[in-house]
Amino acid sequence: MAQPLRLGIAGLGTVGAGVVRIVQKHADLLQVRSGRAISISAVSARSRDKDRGVDLSGYAWEDDPVALARRDDVDLFIEVMGGHNGPAKDATEAAIAAGKDVVSANKALLAVHGQAIAEAAEAAGRVIRFEAAVAGGIPVVKALTEGLAGNDITRIMGVMNGSCNYILTRMESAGLTYQEVFDEANALGYLEADPELDVGGVDAGHKLALLASIAFGTQVDFDAVQLEGIGSVSIDDIRHAADMGFKIKLLGVAQMTGRGLEQRMSPCLVPDTSPLGQLQGGTNMVVLEGDSVGQIVLRGAGAGEGPTASAVMGDVMDIARGIRISTFGQPATSLRRARAAVAAVPAPYYLRMTLLDKPGALAKVARALGDAGISIDRMRQYDHADAVAPVLIVTHKTTRTALDEALTAFKDTGVVFGDPIAIRIEAV
C-alpha cells in the first residue's frame, strides 16, 4: 500500500469545511478508490473559535497559511481561501517552492496569476489542479483536459454564475424588477460580499478565462474578457424576449476566430427551447463544442459546500492516484499569447428603444441601420398611451462594430428617446 497522502487545508469556510467533512465521512471509500489513505494533517483559517460543524480537534492549527504550506507533514496543499492576492497567492507560491502539489478553488487567483503560477509549478515538477474554481461540481476542467483532449475545441459557452441565473429566472417567473430580485438575492446571501463580482460578470469572467486557456492553448488573459453585467436587463426585456421565443442569460462565450480569441461575458438571448434557455435557478451549464465530438452539455450545481468540495476531492483523488497533468492541459511554456478579438463573429441582435411618436421615426431608425449595413429581421411596436413608443428590432447577423456605428447614428436622428438596449442573440 502506498504512503498516505497528507493534506493541509487553508480556508475553513463553506468549501474547506465541506472537504473536511468528505475526508472524515468517506475515508475508507477514498482509500479503496485511490489506493492510498487520505488524511488531514493541518488546517488554517482566520478564526479558531468559529463553529464550522466539523471536528477539527485532531488536526494541527496554523494561523499563517504560508506556514501551513511549508509543513513537513503536508504533501498536498488545498487553497480555498479566495482572493487574487495576499495570503492565497503567498501560500500557493510557498507550497510550490516547498515541493507540494496544490489543489485550488480560487478562480480569481488563477485568472490573474495563472500563467506565472503554472510555470513555477511545472518547473518544480509540481501539479496545480483547479476543478473547483470553475462551475462548482461540474467536471468541466477534467472534460477539457482529459475527455476531450483529442478534439480541436471550436467554442465554449455557458451560464457560469448561478446567482445571475437565479436573478434572471426569478424576474421572469415572479414578474419582478431587477432591483427587487437583486435585493431579495442579497438578503438570502446568494451574492458575494461585493455583489458586483456576481452581477457585473467578474466571477463568471474569471471562469471563462480559465476554460479558454485550456480549450485554445493560450495564456490566461482575464483582462481580455469583455465584461457586461445584468444590471441593464429589465423585466420588459425579459417579457419581450419571451414573446419572440428567447430567454436572457448571462452567457460566457469563448471562440478562436480569424481575428483572434474572442472572450465575452454578457447578457445574451438564447432560444427558449435550447438547454441553456431551459436552465432555471442557480444551476450552471457549460456547452463544449469540438471538431470530433460535436456538442456536449454539462449541467449541475455551480456552487455550494457539497458540489464545490466534491470538485476539490476529485482533484485530490487524481493526485493520490498519480495522475499528473499540466495545469492548463499542456506545458505552460507552450501556451501562446492570443490576440484579443472584440465580438468578431457576426450574430443577430435584439434592440429595444423608445421612439418619439411622430411620423417618420421608424424610417429614420431603419435608415441608420441600413447605412451601417444592418438589415432588419423582425420589428415590433407595442401599444402606448403617451408621446413615446417602445419598439423592438431583431436584426439579421451583423458585427458589433457595425451595430455600434448604428447606435451612434441613432443619437443624430432626433427620434430616439434615451439609450437603446442591444443584446446579442447567440446560436445554441
Side-chain angles (χ1 to χ4, degrees), residues 381-394:
Q381 181 173 325
Y382 285 82
D383 293 337
H384 59 287
D386 47 27
V388 293
V391 173
L392 302 182
I393 294 174
V394 173

Side-chain angles (χ1 to χ4, degrees), residues 279-367:
L279 191 67
Q280 298 292 312
T283 308
N284 280 199
M285 180 176 288
V286 183
V287 180
L288 306 174
E289 296 176 353
D291 63 339
S292 296
V293 76
Q295 184 182 91
I296 64 171
V297 178
L298 304 174
R299 176 185 182 276
E305 176 186 312
T308 311
S310 169
V312 169
M313 288 308 301
D315 284 340
V316 170
M317 292 292 280
D318 273 357
I319 292 171
R321 291 165 171 155
I323 299 171
R324 309 187 70 78
I325 298 173
S326 299
T327 309
F328 295 106
Q330 66 184 65
T333 53
S334 72
L335 298 172
R336 68 188 191 282
R337 277 192 166 276
R339 181 174 54 183
V342 179
V345 178
Y349 282 83
Y350 157 98
L351 305 178
R352 173 174 59 84
M353 65 194 76
T354 303
L355 302 186
L356 299 178
D357 189 10
K358 58 185 184 181
L362 279 173
K364 289 183 178 180
V365 167
R367 187 177 304 114

